[in-house]
Amino acid sequence: MGSLVFHMGWCYVVCLLCCSFIFAYAEDLKDANVSVNNTVFIDGKSSIGETDGDFICATIDWWPPEKCDYGTCSWDYSSMLNLDLNNIIFLNAIKAFSRLKIRLGGTLQDKVIYQTEDHLQPCIPFAQNMSELFNFTKGCLPLSRWDELNSFFNKSGALVVFGLNALNGRSIRSDNSTVGAWNSSNAVSLIRYTVKKGYNIYGWELGNELSGNGVGVHVAADQYASDSIVLHDLIQDIYKGVDVKPRIIAPGGFYEPSWFRRYIGKTEGSVNVITHHIYNLGAGVDEHLIEKILDPSYLDGEADVFRGLKKILRSSATSAVAWVGESGGAYNSGRNHVTNAFVFSFWYLDQLGMSSAFDTKTYCRQTLIGGNYGLLSTTTFVPNPDYYSALLWHRLMGRSVLSTIFSGTKKIRAYAHCAKQSQGITLLLINLDGNNTVEAKVNFNGTLVDRHEDRHHRHRSKVSKMHQANEARGTREEYHLTAMDGNIQSQTMLLNGKALITDSSGAIPLLEPITVTSSEPIRVASFSIVFVHMPYVALPACK
């Protein structure tokens, strides 16, 4: 019996040693996929760009349910004409931003007639007709629906940009160029009605994708400039006596240097915002979208557009600023399980970081809801992963953009801003590598400074006290975003390992960080995104 016990004990020891070896090997194997000695260099002497405080913007389109691409109809009831304005998730999703810009417009906006109070013209909805421009007849915005929309936006606190029909009054040639000036009479009736009702409009935008070669139809730069000046003068007249007038926004098209340069030069003093659109990934039907999203070289290509427009604006006498007025990445409604999945946050957040570094003030995502690229599900209104990416950006990334360089793997995208809720900074790291975890330290290139604040005069809010406590402990706050079950095509995002899901009452979940000792390197898991808030960092650019 004793011999048996001895042998059993020996077997147990051998088994334990083997298990320990296997465990240690697994840990070594795991560590073998960790890339170390990486550095994020942040220059805090001065900012390289400034965004609006409400940089995040999203769109609502006109497309009817019959809008289909590649045999898929992905719009359902997401048009501003039929959207359920009583959905509680929809309301909560907008309110969570406190100040979300919403751009109302899209392809069909240049075929919209606005109902007038005299009801002289019948208000007929869009109807599918494959022989018509954009495959739909003209449609109508009923004043009753305009009332409902404005009531909802007032309740949600949204900042509204409305895209006006810029084709009204023009004739279209066989080569898709236009003849004639913009007929503003129908737009004037809507604007006057809006002012009479006391509706607050942040900006009026003229036209959609009519610049340069256009999409379907195009307008010459000189004529477009003349029409924009007409809109400016109308707004000055209709809003006479109003201290803060709506912004004049145009042209809402794809960037073509020569056209934009001429247009901007002709509209100095009349246009406040120059908008351009981005669909740099190609068609939604493209089966290689994910490959493009994960390719750093491909992502870098869009920098030329931001750089070019910034240069034109700075070299002209205009005071206008740049916005991305519409950006869905992949045109023709995006691609299901790609542009509405976790993987798209790699592209989306990279776009936000890159555009802000080139002094873009606002970035409008196509769409808030609708198609396969909505921040919200078209059918359930439940937030898709990019919604949470946008919300975290809005809450954490301040207006001032810092020069940021990542030294190490090209698969890491790095951006930093002064923090929104502290005098510190927020760093964004995006890991496009599905095999390697990255550990990185932060170097401020000698731009860190001592704080000499009089603590008796500090703002004593709860948030401020929390940041002071973090500084005293030498800690930072991290928000790690990953995909459910590691599947980057999942439509469920995890924050620090916890699924982000609305509750039964439609409430948006809390976005809570983990606390990490500041001396620890920042760890970015494979196929993950990390926002790092460092409240203790003091830089001259963030004073």
Side-chain angles (χ1 to χ4, degrees), residues 146-205:
W146 187 231
D147 294 336
E148 292 169 357
L149 286 165
N150 279 281
S151 175
F152 174 81
F153 293 135
N154 180 60
K155 188 189 304 182
S156 67
L159 301 174
V160 177
V161 173
F162 187 86
L164 295 166
N165 178 347
L167 283 183
N168 200 35
R170 308 184 202 272
S171 57
I172 302 173
R173 295 191 181 109
S174 58
D175 64 354
N176 293 326
S177 64
T178 60
V179 179
W182 173 51
N183 183 338
S184 63
S185 58
N186 192 226
V188 166
S189 69
L190 179 67
I191 297 170
R192 289 195 184 280
Y193 177 83
T194 300
V195 173
K196 186 178 87 169
K197 299 287 281 189
Y199 299 148
N200 188 20
I201 301 298
Y202 186 85
W204 296 98
E205 184 177 29

Side-chain angles (χ1 to χ4, degrees), residues 374-498:
L375 296 181
L376 306 176
S377 166
T378 303
T379 54
T380 67
F381 293 82
V382 169
N384 286 321
D386 281 2
Y387 171 84
Y388 295 110
S389 295
L391 188 55
L392 278 170
W393 177 288
H394 176 75
R395 292 179 178 178
L396 298 172
M397 305 293 268
R399 296 186 60 187
S400 297
V401 188
L402 304 173
S403 175
T404 308
I405 299 173
F406 186 84
S407 176
T409 170
K410 295 183 181 298
K411 287 284 189 175
I412 289 286
R413 315 288 286 181
Y415 301 98
H417 286 219
C418 296
K420 198 162 193 174
Q421 295 185 359
S422 76
Q423 292 183 337
I425 69 164
T426 301
L427 170 65
L428 169 63
L429 296 174
I430 303 167
N431 190 354
L432 304 176
D433 193 330
N435 298 312
N436 296 298
T437 292
V438 170
E439 286 188 351
K441 59 182 180 179
V442 182
N443 185 305
F444 294 98
N445 293 340
T447 57
L448 278 173
V449 296
D450 292 327
R451 286 203 176 108
H452 298 289
E453 289 184 284
D454 180 356
R455 290 183 180 271
H456 295 292
H457 292 88
R458 280 192 175 183
H459 182 52
R460 292 294 183 181
S461 71
K462 182 178 178 181
V463 171
S464 180
K465 289 180 180 178
M466 179 184 71
H467 292 152
Q468 291 173 26
N470 283 345
E471 183 176 346
R473 292 196 303 269
T475 61
R476 62 177 184 258
E477 297 162 348
E478 295 185 353
Y479 302 78
H480 293 257
L481 303 176
T482 53
M484 176 72 83
D485 299 324
N487 176 14
I488 60 174
Q489 290 186 259
S490 171
Q491 289 176 292
T492 300
M493 175 180 271
L494 307 183
L495 171 59
N496 298 323
K498 183 180 179 181

